[in-house]
Amino acid sequence: MALFLLRRLGAMVATLVAISLIAFAVIELPPGDFATAYVAAMQANGVVMTEEEIAGLRAAYGLDGGLLERYAAWIWAILSRGDFGQSFEWRQPVSDLIWGRVGMSMVVELTALVVMWCVALPIGVYSAVRRYTVGDYAATLFGFLGLAVPNFLLALGLMYLSFRLTGSALSGLNDDRFIDAPWDAARIADFLAHLWAPVLVLATAGMAHLIRVLRANLLDELNKPYVVAARARGLPEGRLIWKYPVRVALNPLVSSIGLLLPTLISSSVVVGVVMSLPTAGPLLLRALMSQDTYLAGAFILLMGTLAILGTVISDLLLALVDPRVRHR
Amino acid sequence: MSAAPLAPPVSSMADPLATASGWRLFWLRFRRHRVAFVSLWIVVALYGVAAFAEFLAPHPPDRTMGRYTYAPPQPFGLFWTDPTTGETAFRPHVDGYRVEIDPVALRRSFVPDATRPVDVCLFPRVEPYRLWGVVPLEHRLFGPCDPNDPFFLFGADRLGRDVLSRTIHGTRISLSVGLIGVALSLLLGIAIGGAAGYVGGALDAAVQRVSEVLRSLPTIPLWLGLAAALPREWDPLTIYFAITVLLSLIGWIELARVVRGRFLALRGEDFVLAARIEGMHPVRVVMRHMVPQVTSHVIATATLAIPAMILAETALSFLGLGLQPPLVSWGVLLQEAQNIRSVAAAPWLFLPGGAVVLAVLCLNFLGDGLRDAADPYDV
Amino acid sequence: MMSEHTGRDPVPQPLLRVEGLRVAFGPYEAVRGVDFSIAPGRVLCLVGESGCGKSVTARAVMRLVEPAGRVTAGRILWHGGESAEAMDLAALDSRGRDMRALRGPGMAMIFQEPMSALSPVHTIGEQLTEPMRLHLGLSRKAAEERAVDLLARVGIPNPRARLSAYAFQLSGGMRQRAMIAIALACSPKLLIADEPTTALDVTTQAQVLDLLAELVRELGMAMLFITHDLGVVAQLGDEVAVMYLGRIVERAPVFDLFDRPHHPYTQALLRSVPSLRGPRPRRLAAIEGLVPSLAALPPGCVFHPRCERAAAGLCDRDDPAETATADGLRTVRCHRVEAFAS
């Protein structure tokens, strides 16, 4: 167990380094560096910077060193001060811009994850236990559609329907009147009234996948001798199914939460853009379009880190529920 | 997802599966999956459309008819009843348009008008064009007899371009991204997964770690970041190849996983061991004895990887960081549908999405069928 | 270790009587009309090659073949209930309350592969106390105390610690002992053992068999023992039923059967067992031919294609009926039994 944990943590650190390298590449790849872009942006706004100011800027961000030095300076600023650099489009520190957005993304994504599981679990179990019934075929069909319909199309379709039926297009997570309003009961109620649409869109694709995998896993388990043995002990059928084969069939799915999370973060970028949510996705896209490199790099770094954390958490969860992993 | 026989094993020489071997067995098992078999033909048809897009589409993809912005789809009919005489005759046509002007908003809108038919011909003569940029042609499969008549079976977009023709041309790009991307992934996957599975040890562990890292990354932000870093001055075709390469940088993982797993299993088999003991060159062992054994699995996994690529390209292009106009892919077309107000006015802009769903669905069914045929004992 | 041979004592009232049992999986019939009965305290061994339907018969008694299979005909009469009337298990809903109430306190089962018959993610203690709490209404604490006693009884050292062990943490023999303890949890009247020693190594096999024989004698339960191993039959059984292709071809008290097998199939089976006594044969006798598939059963007696005594015009045309010997202790299903049983 200790070895298992140590291995997981080691892998996590290595992955984090890999992600930071990729994020750094996103920052470095566009022509010019931050200082030239910043100076240009300032000039566009009519502010002319002196040579000393520019030199100070370059020194502050370690821009004159080699590639490795620049990377070290960037990472060190993040780790020591939480300083992700400056967004020159917004002329604010990146850290002021991202946390609210990332937090909002996490709320949407985690809600979608919970909804996904709560819906997929009974449907998956039902369609395996009642194999080849109308319900099973319906679940299978839904599974394939969820697989094939890109989630932005689903979001657009939902918005179109809502627009047609109610005249409002289901965008955002709050009505405009709540901009900058405190999080009182009214705003939270309005937030929840908006939240269902993106959550529904995000949950659908993952749900379809979960149902498919759960059904296949459970079908494998249903005829195993330990199920017959439990039946031979006189257990009621419903309790037996949930206690034994479902428990076993869920284990691989618990570990797949870790792989579900990156997908969920990916989808939420697209859905966030389509539904104009105040989440990380739209701001990331905008940052990439305008080559606001530090902002974009920070988002990619944070999204990757969150995905990795999710993987590690799901691994720990698996060790918790599966004694075969725990006692290895 | 095949129904496993519940009865005790029954051996019978009359069963073709008992006597067939190799590829024939694979094919026979595949044909039992009816949905997968139908999907195979749909996929073949789609790639046919991709190959002959110029001939099949009634218009060039970038032809604008400014008079007909956001014109709705026209109903098609084989027989036409003359409203004045009441006579019905065989006359393939689509309804023409009547322009209505909203008196309040002063906005023009088109309404299909059955009294003004637009005649439709097979093989109409059009402006000369080149199939694949090589073969000079002057006819298309079908279209308006008079090339200046409006002919929009799927409606028109904001510049009065034919959505059907653009969707047909988009098929070429979208499906080829999937194919080329998977081909690249396949090269990477077989090389990396094969080496890991054959050599084992430290190399295998390293490959495992790397693919674990890549698998736990959220792909869309990553692709977006890398695509945004592509130089803006590159021409669309270079961007197309660059995007395809980017997609396959993640795509190889699953393929490598399958190849590695099979190779690890095969490495212990006696015939491989025998070849190694005889001193056969490792590359020859792999090519001669191991690759044929994994081919069917690889084909199945590769087929399942194509729809993922198509979806990825569609999402990237939809967000504006993938393929760039004037290239036409399904994702580029769906970009037109990004604004909910324009979609509300012209819901036919969703139609390219239908092509995405059809292609992805069929490729998934096909891949599932192939996988089941390759490995009937796996679920 | 030999169980007391009581074959010729007056036969007591049976605990279980199976009449004309048929079980089908889709179009294939795996059990094609089987009759037998077991009295309390007796051991009936069901012997046959793999695929002969012996395991299916055992599972059908507990109504565990559903939903893949179906009991299509016959009666499974259970005399273990409170009332004098027998209960026909074949008529019950296989998942219903009555059938469930019987599993555990009425009859229990041990399986061939203890590893796969134990849940991989639940402790031994959990699976052992579960039926006690369900059927006997014991509290968790009381059930655990009883579980410790049971584990000790089946010879598991340090039983209290084993309660929190998982199947994969035990050795094969220990797993099967745990499985036996689980089966005994509610003191069943009938224990069905489906090849419980096949997956074990030889030493462990002997230990588990000894344990089972001891338990049967001590607890007075009946046992239906499924095996393909004639050595085990001799060691454990009171009565033997030999199955071939879904039918019992010969049934007799164990020593009668070994002394004077009547059916040609039984005779062939006994010849195929290597013997340490007597002259060493040049090679082990095998039964000619292959077991026909259930999809293409031969006409007449299903054994005739492999039978060295098959008579043309009789055995390949008519299905032999079951005939009992004069003393009623033995039944044989063969046309030519008078001619050859001497």
Side-chain angles (χ1 to χ4, degrees):
Chain A
M1 185 65 187
L3 190 75
F4 171 75
L5 270 182
L6 216 63
R7 272 224 335 256
R8 287 308 319 170
L9 285 177
M12 177 177 142
V13 171
T15 314
L16 284 177
V17 172
I19 289 175
S20 70
L21 285 174
I22 293 172
F24 187 66
V26 169
I27 293 174
E28 285 285 321
L29 278 178
D33 61 22
F34 170 66
T36 50
Y38 189 75
V39 170
M42 296 303 268
Q43 261 166 0
N45 286 311
V47 184
V48 179
M49 294 179 77
T50 62
E51 287 295 320
E52 287 98 78
E53 277 174 320
I54 296 174
L57 200 65
R58 299 190 73 87
Y61 288 96
L63 294 177
D64 293 319
L67 201 60
L68 210 61
E69 253 171 88
R70 292 204 295 273
Y71 171 73
W74 176 68
I75 276 290
W76 178 244
I78 293 171
L79 291 179
S80 60
R81 290 171 271 136
D83 174 11
F84 288 87
Q86 284 278 328
S87 157
F88 58 79
E89 195 192 359
W90 299 81
R91 283 199 269 153
Q92 275 181 35
V94 167
S95 52
D96 290 357
L97 291 166
I98 48 174
W99 291 111
R101 292 277 182 157
V102 169
M104 200 58 96
S105 292
M106 279 178 68
V107 170
V108 176
E109 286 151 15
L110 291 180
T111 315
L113 193 68
V114 172
V115 169
M116 193 188 293
W117 271 78
C118 291
V119 179
L121 197 59
I123 296 182
V125 171
Y126 176 88
S127 71
V129 174
R130 301 258 182 279
R131 195 184 183 186
Y132 302 139
T133 58
V134 177
D136 178 27
Y137 284 126
T140 308
L141 190 72
F142 169 76
F144 275 113
L145 281 179
L147 204 70
V149 179
N151 42 36
F152 67 84
L153 211 58
L154 197 66
L156 277 173
L158 203 62
M159 290 166 79
Y160 173 72
L161 275 184
S162 157
F163 188 77
R164 267 291 146 102
L165 297 176
T166 68
S168 88
L170 284 180
S171 63
L173 284 174
N174 265 130
D175 277 350
D176 291 345
R177 66 198 154 97
F178 288 106
I179 291 175
D180 293 329
W183 281 96
D184 56 6
R187 182 165 181 191
I188 292 175
D190 177 68
F191 177 75
L192 292 178
H194 280 79
L195 188 61
W196 69 270
V199 163
L200 180 73
V201 172
L202 279 179
T204 303
M207 213 190 294
H209 172 78
L210 267 183
I211 290 173
R212 258 164 69 99
V213 178
L214 180 58
R215 179 179 181 276
N217 284 357
L218 192 52
L219 280 177
D220 262 4
E221 297 297 329
L222 279 178
N223 295 317
K224 291 265 176 84
Y226 71 86
V227 181
V228 181
R231 203 168 281 143
R233 294 199 284 273
L235 250 66
E237 194 62 21
R239 202 167 121 196
L240 183 151
I241 298 276
W242 283 93
K243 181 169 178 182
Y244 290 102
V246 171
R247 253 305 295 285
V248 179
L250 275 183
N251 284 345
L253 283 181
V254 168
S255 66
S256 81
I257 297 180
L259 293 180
L260 214 60
L261 215 60
T263 325
L264 210 53
I265 292 175
S266 278
S267 318
S268 97
V269 170
V270 187
V271 173
V273 170
V274 174
M275 304 186 102
S276 349
L277 306 180
T279 54
L283 202 56
L284 166 67
L285 188 67
R286 186 165 165 178
L288 287 169
M289 294 283 198
S290 60
Q291 301 214 332
D292 192 351
T293 50
Y294 278 91
L295 185 56
F299 271 127
I300 289 176
L301 183 67
L302 276 182
M303 287 175 174
T305 309
L306 285 178
I308 300 299
L309 278 180
T311 319
V312 172
I313 290 173
S314 83
D315 276 348
L316 293 181
L317 218 56
L318 180 68
L320 211 64
V321 297
D322 194 333
R324 289 168 295 183
V325 175
R326 192 165 63 235
H327 291 282
R328 197 162 46 194
Chain B
M1 279 206 276
S2 61
L6 299 166
V10 176
S11 67
S12 154
M13 285 324 220
D15 187 350
L17 293 194
T19 49
S21 66
W23 286 108
R24 179 143 181 80
L25 199 63
F26 182 69
W27 175 245
L28 283 172
R29 277 197 303 251
F30 174 72
R31 285 200 44 179
R32 290 189 173 178
H33 292 262
R34 221 165 327 135
V35 179
F37 195 60
V38 171
S39 298
L40 172 67
W41 290 115
I42 298 180
V43 168
V44 168
L46 282 173
Y47 274 98
V49 168
F52 299 102
E54 291 97 336
F55 178 67
L56 294 174
H59 298 293
D62 43 6
R63 180 185 183 203
T64 57
M65 291 178 91
R67 284 181 52 210
Y68 295 100
T69 55
Y70 289 132
Q74 295 161 302
F76 174 77
L78 281 178
F79 295 92
W80 188 67
T81 310
D82 191 320
T84 49
T85 62
E87 276 172 40
T88 302
F90 178 73
R91 182 179 174 188
H93 69 283
V94 292
D95 293 348
Y97 290 111
R98 188 175 68 235
V99 178
E100 282 181 358
I101 294 179
D102 186 335
V104 186
L106 290 178
R107 210 171 44 195
R108 283 192 318 160
S109 66
F110 297 89
V111 181
D113 183 355
T115 60
R116 281 188 241 174
V118 172
D119 289 313
V120 176
C121 295
L122 272 180
F123 307 114
R125 174 178 286 272
V126 294
E127 267 179 52
Y129 65 99
R130 283 170 186 273
L131 181 63
W132 307 318
V134 184
V135 186
L137 289 175
E138 297 191 334
H139 298 270
R140 296 184 197 274
L141 180 64
F142 66 100
C145 302
D146 177 354
N148 292 320
D149 276 344
F151 182 67
F152 302 113
L153 286 178
F154 277 17
D157 68 2
R158 113 193 104 83
L159 297 176
R161 293 174 296 198
D162 178 26
V163 174
L164 173 66
S165 300
R166 287 171 70 73
T167 306
I168 289 177
H169 278 91
T171 309
R172 173 174 292 175
I173 303 286
S174 287
L175 289 185
S176 67
V177 165
L179 217 53
I180 299 176
V182 166
L184 285 175
S185 307
L186 207 57
L187 281 181
L188 283 170
I190 289 181
I192 298 174
Y198 184 83
V199 179
L203 179 66
D204 185 33
V207 168
Q208 287 287 87
R209 291 295 90 73
V210 170
S211 59
E212 250 169 50
V213 169
L214 289 176
R215 255 153 63 99
S216 54
L217 294 179
T219 47
I220 295 263
L222 212 77
W223 279 326
L224 284 178
L226 294 175
L230 297 177
R232 305 255 154 128
E233 61 273 13
W234 281 5
D235 64 289
L237 207 62
T238 319
I239 296 268
Y240 163 84
F241 283 112
I243 294 279
T244 313
V245 169
L246 282 185
L247 294 183
S248 54
L249 282 183
I250 301 283
W252 63 268
I253 303 168
E254 178 62 17
L255 284 158
R257 199 181 64 80
V258 170
V259 173
R260 171 188 170 271
R262 304 298 303 178
F263 266 35
L264 271 181
L266 280 173
R267 204 160 61 117
E269 296 279 342
D270 289 344
F271 65 92
V272 175
L273 208 61
R276 277 156 66 127
I277 291 168
E278 276 175 26
M280 200 186 251
H281 192 271
V283 172
R284 197 169 148 73
V285 176
V286 169
M287 296 314 287
R288 184 68 195 259
H289 289 292
M290 296 171 79
V291 167
Q293 301 278 330
V294 301
T295 316
S296 58
H297 287 83
V298 167
I299 290 176
T301 316
T303 311
L304 283 172
I306 298 177
M309 291 265 169
I310 293 177
L311 283 177
E313 181 275 318
T314 309
L316 281 191
S317 302
F318 173 77
L319 290 178
L321 280 172
L323 305 180
Q324 304 295 336
L327 280 192
V328 184
S329 80
W330 292 334
V332 172
L333 290 180
L334 284 169
Q335 228 183 320
E336 296 274 330
Q338 218 183 75
N339 182 340
I340 191 64
R341 272 164 219 288
S342 59
V343 177
W348 50 89
L349 293 178
F350 274 139
L351 285 171
V356 177
V357 174
L358 178 72
V360 171
L361 209 53
C362 288
L363 281 162
N364 268 310
F365 282 134
L366 175 63
D368 273 352
L370 289 173
R371 190 181 49 193
D372 285 358
D375 208 343
Y377 307 110
D378 269 10
V379 170
Chain C
M1 221 268 342
M2 203 67 61
S3 77
E4 201 181 343
H5 174 49
T6 50
R8 287 176 207 267
D9 296 347
V11 177
Q13 172 73 15
L15 176 68
L16 174 79
R17 182 192 296 280
V18 171
E19 293 174 356
L21 178 70
R22 285 174 174 270
V23 182
F25 291 82
Y28 305 109
E29 256 197 323
V31 175
R32 306 180 302 121
V34 155
D35 306 78
F36 63 85
S37 62
I38 311 174
R42 299 297 184 89
V43 177
L44 171 67
C45 289
L46 216 48
V47 193
E49 294 166 272
S50 27
C52 71
K54 54 191 194 298
S55 281
V56 175
T57 305
R59 274 165 206 233
V61 168
M62 286 191 82
R63 297 301 306 280
L64 290 174
V65 293
E66 282 88 355
R70 212 154 43 84
V71 173
T72 49
R75 300 203 292 171
I76 305 167
L77 297 171
W78 175 252
H79 294 269
E82 308 278 287
S83 74
E85 293 262 312
M87 185 160 47
D88 182 7
L89 307 185
L92 294 181
D93 172 10
S94 69
R95 303 246 159 124
R97 186 186 294 271
D98 293 341
M99 198 59 234
R100 284 206 318 265
L102 218 55
R103 296 179 188 144
M107 39 177 111
M109 193 162 187
I110 51 182
F111 296 83
Q112 182 172 351
E113 290 264 6
M115 180 66 190
S116 54
L118 289 167
S119 162
V121 295
H122 293 89
T123 59
I124 300 295
E126 171 62 31
Q127 292 168 85
L128 183 49
T129 53
E130 176 183 64
M132 301 177 198
R133 297 171 67 195
L134 186 74
H135 296 293
L136 310 180
L138 295 186
S139 68
R140 177 180 289 275
K141 202 145 191 70
E144 273 177 10
E145 286 314 310
R146 186 176 153 80
V148 171
D149 292 347
L150 270 171
L151 288 179
R153 176 64 199 86
V154 298
I156 291 183
N158 199 0
R160 199 168 289 277
R162 289 288 170 265
L163 282 184
S164 55
Y166 291 93
F168 60 87
Q169 292 171 314
L170 301 179
S171 69
M174 285 302 138
R175 266 181 225 140
Q176 195 56 292
R177 284 171 196 267
M179 196 75 228
I180 293 172
I182 292 173
L184 297 180
C186 300
S187 317
K189 298 191 167 86
L190 171 66
L191 179 65
I192 298 177
D194 186 0
E195 306 210 32
T197 56
T198 311
L200 306 176
D201 63 71
V202 184
T203 350
T204 322
Q205 258 183 32
Q207 290 167 359
V208 169
L209 285 177
D210 283 351
L211 174 67
L212 282 174
E214 240 175 84
L215 287 169
V216 167
R217 212 172 33 202
E218 196 179 299
L219 304 173
M221 40 175 199
M223 180 156 76
L224 176 60
F225 195 98
I226 319 295
T227 184
H228 61 259
D229 185 342
L230 288 168
V232 171
V233 174
Q235 187 183 349
L236 206 61
D238 295 310
E239 242 201 328
V240 197
V242 180
M243 281 191 80
Y244 184 77
L245 272 181
R247 278 200 177 152
I248 292 179
V249 292
E250 181 165 14
R251 184 157 52 89
V254 71
F255 281 95
D256 289 358
L257 187 104
F258 278 85
D259 281 354
R260 284 184 304 124
H262 282 24
H263 195 282
Y265 178 62
T266 316
Q267 292 167 355
L269 268 188
L270 285 172
R271 271 202 308 274
S272 68
V273 178
S275 167
L276 288 176
R277 273 168 284 165
R280 193 165 163 195
R282 292 258 311 278
R283 55 182 299 179
L284 208 53
I287 306 177
E288 287 295 313
L290 293 171
V291 183
S293 111
L294 285 172
L297 288 175
C301 171
V302 289
F303 188 60
H304 88 261
R306 304 172 73 188
C307 181
E308 46 195 38
R309 291 166 189 171
L314 176 67
C315 294
D316 54 3
R317 220 185 52 211
D318 297 332
D319 197 7
E322 202 167 59
T323 47
T325 49
D327 55 6
L329 286 175
R330 180 194 294 256
T331 61
V332 184
R333 198 185 270 275
C334 181
H335 289 298
R336 312 204 60 198
V337 67
E338 287 84 13
F340 292 99
S342 47

